[in-house]
Amino acid sequence: MDKFVISGGKPLSGDIPVSGAKNSALPALAASLLTSETVVLRRIPRVKDIRTMMGLLSSIGASVEEDAGTVTLRLGGAVTPEAPYELVKTMRASSLVLGPLVARHGRARVSMPGGCAIGARPINLHVQGLEHLGAVVTQSHGYIEAVAPEGGLRGSTVHFDRITVTGTEDLMMAAVLAKGETVLENAAREPEVQDLAVLLNKMGARVEGAGTSRIRIEGVEALHGADHAIIPDRIEAGTFLIAGAMAGGDVTVSGCEPEHLTALVAKLRQAGAEISTVGEGVLRVRRSGGLRATDITTEEHPGFPTDLQAQYLALMTQAEGISFITETIFENRFMHAPELQRMGASIRIEGRQAIVAGPRPLSGAQVMSSDLRASASLVIAGLVASGETIVDRVYHLDRGYERMDEKLARVGATIRRTS
Ligand code: EPZ
């Protein structure tokens, strides 16, 4: 099992290139199930979750080739519309094949994903949405079976009880081939939802309103192939902006989309980091003075992203004063706190809130990753901790960050991967 060994105390300087967005690539890959023609997706990050999704699509019957971040997919022959437990248990986003399979192949059998470190993470809203479109859904032996009615899914209005990113994406993909019009109310507005709509429309779908909380989809007979480059990873970009603010120095993050990062940039500026746009898709972060405690509350886009909460909490351990970090999206997303406390941080958890008192000097320690973003939080803490920090189980990180150790080493961090 790989570890990262980090020696803290070095400011960062240089440029960090951002990869394509994992959370855009996953639905985009699933969308290839909606046509028998070739779909080409570019700027696909080479991370574990993407390899898992490619493996799932192959097991369904697609031919999948990857070459230097470009993935070419074609579902031409026989189709096995199933997502088995052994694949789904490693990546819950496998539920994204549910909508496309029911829409185009009339049925799907997908293992229920089960919970993960950050919460129970049910997919009841995905199921309810499909039932609204006429699917008959049964659950048994840990599997969800969804069957479209005779003549296929029928357009309808789906109102999400709460905002769900992959629920919105799943239902968009189910609706594009349904008969008639579908309206998704209280839809997720994340950039990744918008990117999926761009791809679907390139494939011949008729999706309007993506990026707002009301998405309207006019069903069509069939979709054709497309060639699409996915958006940059705003969470990776945000992670590196926070790393730059934490370590100090002068770092640019290139190939990103600044307008996807407005909530984080505002908070980093309030906290005392200097953030500027220095060119097309290039954000620069510098920090020479101290940091000020600055509260955040995670919210659906365009609010402060829950996927940057752990990283930001690490930063607040070095800020002057008391910070209140409120997590409203997931019920158990402070797994990084006990590990940061072992490094010397002063954090108190009260329900959905973490109260951080700073600044507290951090000392390097052996720490354990628990989930993807908590691991990033520990790496960021290691950048300023005195002595050596060993982050264990970095397979969590490798699920969503392409070569994070190499990208940080290139801007001056003392970090190396060991097995
Ligand atoms: C997506 O997960 C992301 N994953 C997550 O990123 C991200 O944290 C999350 O959205 C929130 O932004 C992908 O896009 C692959 P949700 P998703 O459905 O869609 C509850 C990362 O680090 N809910 O928006 O699974 C759910 O329990 C990952 O890259 C239901 O109750 O999240 C949660 O409390 C982690 N029933 C809330 O809604 C449902 O049917 C938001 O979940 C669906 C969700």
Side-chain angles (χ1 to χ4, degrees):
M1 225 181 282
D2 285 5
K3 302 178 189 326
F4 283 169
V5 180
I6 306 163
S7 297
K10 310 265 297 285
L12 304 181
S13 72
D15 178 65
I16 303 180
V18 172
S19 303
K22 161 180 88 81
N23 290 349
S24 186
L26 290 168
L29 288 163
S32 67
L33 297 170
L34 289 164
T35 177
S36 57
E37 297 185 14
T38 300
V39 174
V40 177
L41 297 173
R42 302 177 191 281
R43 199 164 47 199
I44 298 289
R46 307 178 89 170
V47 296
K48 178 90 175 61
D49 276 4
I50 297 301
R51 288 193 293 277
T52 303
M53 179 60 90
M54 285 163 44
L56 172 55
L57 296 175
S58 299
S59 73
I60 290 171
S63 79
V64 184
E65 286 158 30
E66 190 269 339
D67 174 31
T70 295
V71 178
T72 303
L73 305 111
R74 188 162 184 286
L75 185 65
V79 173
T80 309
E82 305 215 345
Y85 175 67
E86 53 276 359
L87 269 176
V88 176
K89 74 180 178 189
T90 65
M91 188 191 63
R92 31 173 312 93
S94 310
S95 56
L96 281 165
V97 302
L98 201 51
L101 285 174
V102 179
R104 177 145 180 274
H105 305 283
R107 73 178 192 85
R109 183 171 180 272
V110 175
S111 165
M112 277 187 269
C116 73
I118 63 178
R121 310 214 36 208
I123 57 168
N124 58 308
L125 300 178
H126 300 230
V127 171
Q128 286 164 21
L130 287 173
E131 289 171 332
H132 266 86
L133 302 187
V136 175
V137 185
T138 53
Q139 306 191 13
S140 65
H141 308 298
Y143 276 79
I144 281 172
E145 297 241 11
V147 180
E150 274 305 304
L153 295 174
R154 295 184 300 274
S156 173
T157 294
V158 175
H159 186 282
F160 289 106
D161 289 354
R162 71 174 292 176
I163 293 170
T164 161
V165 175
T166 51
T168 300
E169 293 163 345
D170 226 346
L171 268 297
M172 275 169 67
M173 292 190 281
V176 291
L177 294 176
K179 302 268 178 304
E181 176 184 84
T182 295
V183 176
L184 304 182
E185 296 281 6
N186 198 25
R189 297 185 281 167
E190 270 65 8
E192 293 75 26
V193 171
Q194 298 175 58
D195 199 29
L196 176 62
V198 170
L199 168 61
L200 292 172
N201 287 339
K202 280 184 180 177
M203 295 170 71
R206 291 159 67 180
V207 181
E208 289 170 10
T212 74
S213 54
R214 188 174 191 277
I215 300 175
R216 208 179 68 74
I217 299 140
E218 190 61 45
V220 295
E221 275 302 306
L223 296 187
H224 49 71
D227 186 320
H228 179 67
I230 60 163
I231 55 173
D233 193 319
R234 62 193 168 98
I235 304 303
E236 183 194 23
T239 301
F240 288 129
L241 287 175
I242 295 172
M246 181 71 142
D250 186 345
V251 171
T252 53
V253 173
S254 60
C256 72
E257 184 50 79
E259 71 182 32
H260 292 163
L261 287 155
T262 50
L264 172 70
V265 168
K267 286 296 177 181
L268 289 179
R269 284 177 173 150
Q270 281 174 36
E274 298 152 52
I275 312 270
S276 51
T277 301
V278 291
E280 179 69 25
V282 183
L283 283 172
R284 180 180 187 186
V285 53
R286 280 176 292 178
R287 186 185 45 101
S288 42
L291 287 162
R292 292 184 294 273
T294 306
D295 300 347
I296 61 160
T297 297
T298 63
E299 288 170 331
E300 294 87 357
H301 192 77
F304 191 97
T306 175
D307 290 350
L308 288 173
Q309 177 261 104
Q311 300 91 314
Y312 184 85
L313 192 154
L315 180 70
M316 287 297 106
T317 66
Q318 303 308 299
E320 180 69 42
I322 307 281
S323 309
F324 290 83
I325 313 261
T326 309
E327 171 59 57
T328 69
I329 307 293
F330 290 109
E331 63 267 29
N332 185 34
R333 202 168 198 176
F334 289 127
M335 307 278 279
H336 38 292
E339 294 304 297
L340 292 171
Q341 283 166 326
R342 293 181 57 245
M343 297 174 74
S346 165
I347 307 168
R348 198 170 78 246
I349 305 294
E350 288 187 0
R352 289 281 179 119
Q353 208 162 47
I355 300 151
V356 184
R360 290 287 187 284
L362 299 181
S363 60
Q366 195 149 358
V367 289
M368 180 79 76
S369 306
S370 53
D371 59 86
L372 170 56
R373 307 304 174 181
S375 319
S377 165
L378 300 179
V379 171
I380 287 171
L383 294 176
V384 298
S386 61
E388 200 168 73
T389 298
I390 299 173
V391 181
D392 209 345
R393 300 188 179 175
V394 290
Y395 64 81
H396 287 291
L397 262 175
D398 292 335
R399 293 189 51 173
Y401 289 97
E402 195 174 358
R403 299 176 292 104
M404 175 186 264
D405 46 328
E406 294 172 27
K407 291 187 178 185
L408 285 172
R410 273 179 44 192
V411 292
T414 305
I415 177 171
R416 62 188 164 78
R417 179 186 291 258
T418 65
S419 295

